[in-house]
Amino acid sequence: MFELLLVCAYLVGSFSFAIVLSRYYGNSDPRVQGSGNPGATNMLRVAGKRLAILTLLGDLSKGLVPVLFANAVGLNLQQQAWIGLTAVIGHLYPLYFSFRGGKGVATTAGMLLGLYPPAALLALLVWSLTFFLTRISSLASLASVTLCLPLLAWQQPLALLPVSMLSALLVWRHRSNLKDLLDGTERNFRD
């Protein structure tokens, strides 16, 4: 059962709400506009609030639903964390879209919500405060991940290995943002 759920979580994670919504509403592929990232932040830039919110909710659900399902069928917390990680990997490297996916923050938030809601709430608060102060989504994302994923691992030690791998993956996916942050050229929402 666990192995089957890993495959299903990857396939669910591979579904790109940004790309599908863009096609459905006649917009260009978000991977060739704005930041080139098929996620909620870029959708806000290139397609507006409505599609950004739909993308955010869809991407969040890709991390949440597989974890909740794994919990419902009686898998332990570590197995649930591996399933959540696999859903995030699907988002980062989607089978259906030539392995060109998003940065994984919303899908990770959904995973956190399913595994340990206090960590998800803290992540939302950290993201919101950082974004409010800086207007830089990538910095807010990195701050929430680096502060909240360790909390999850501390409170739920069985999740330590999958959460550590997830943290490394998210920092890796944000490497261009980190470079731009250090160079002072990262996009923000003040402009």
Side-chain angles (χ1 to χ4, degrees):
M1 172 68 92
F2 174 63
E3 293 81 8
L4 176 63
L5 286 179
L6 286 172
V7 171
C8 290
Y10 173 77
L11 295 174
V12 166
S14 287
F15 185 85
S16 176
F17 283 91
I19 295 170
V20 171
L21 289 167
S22 291
R23 287 180 184 170
Y24 182 79
Y25 286 99
N27 295 341
S28 297
D29 188 327
R31 295 172 298 175
V32 297
Q33 300 180 74
S35 68
N37 179 45
T41 300
N42 196 39
M43 288 295 282
L44 180 60
R45 286 186 186 108
V46 302
K49 285 182 184 177
R50 180 174 177 222
L51 292 185
I53 291 170
L54 291 173
T55 299
L56 176 65
L57 293 174
D59 288 351
L60 186 83
S61 70
K62 293 188 313 186
L64 177 63
V65 170
V67 169
L68 291 180
F69 188 79
N71 182 290
V73 298
L75 297 182
N76 68 41
L77 185 74
Q78 185 176 53
Q79 292 171 316
Q80 293 172 41
W82 284 115
I83 286 168
L85 172 62
T86 307
V88 175
I89 290 171
H91 179 81
L92 300 175
Y93 304 102
L95 176 66
Y96 314 125
F97 301 101
S98 305
F99 304 101
R100 290 183 55 210
K103 303 254 172 120
V105 175
T107 307
T108 298
M111 173 189 164
L112 277 176
L113 187 59
L115 289 174
Y116 189 61
L121 178 60
L122 180 61
L124 176 63
L125 292 172
V126 169
W127 190 96
S128 298
L129 179 62
T130 307
F131 184 77
F132 175 76
L133 293 173
T134 67
R135 307 300 290 173
I136 301 174
S137 179
S138 62
L139 181 60
S141 297
L142 286 165
S144 65
V145 165
T146 56
L147 293 175
C148 300
L149 289 179
L151 170 70
L152 171 65
W154 177 60
Q155 291 293 316
Q156 304 292 341
L158 283 176
L160 179 61
L161 183 58
V163 165
S164 297
M165 291 178 67
L166 177 60
S167 297
L169 268 173
L170 292 181
V171 170
W172 171 257
R173 289 297 286 185
H174 281 85
R175 66 192 180 280
S176 64
N177 301 97
L178 284 167
K179 180 186 177 305
D180 291 344
L181 283 165
L182 292 172
D183 293 343
T185 59
E186 180 65 355
R187 294 172 179 238
N188 65 54
F189 282 90
R190 287 189 182 110
D191 303 332

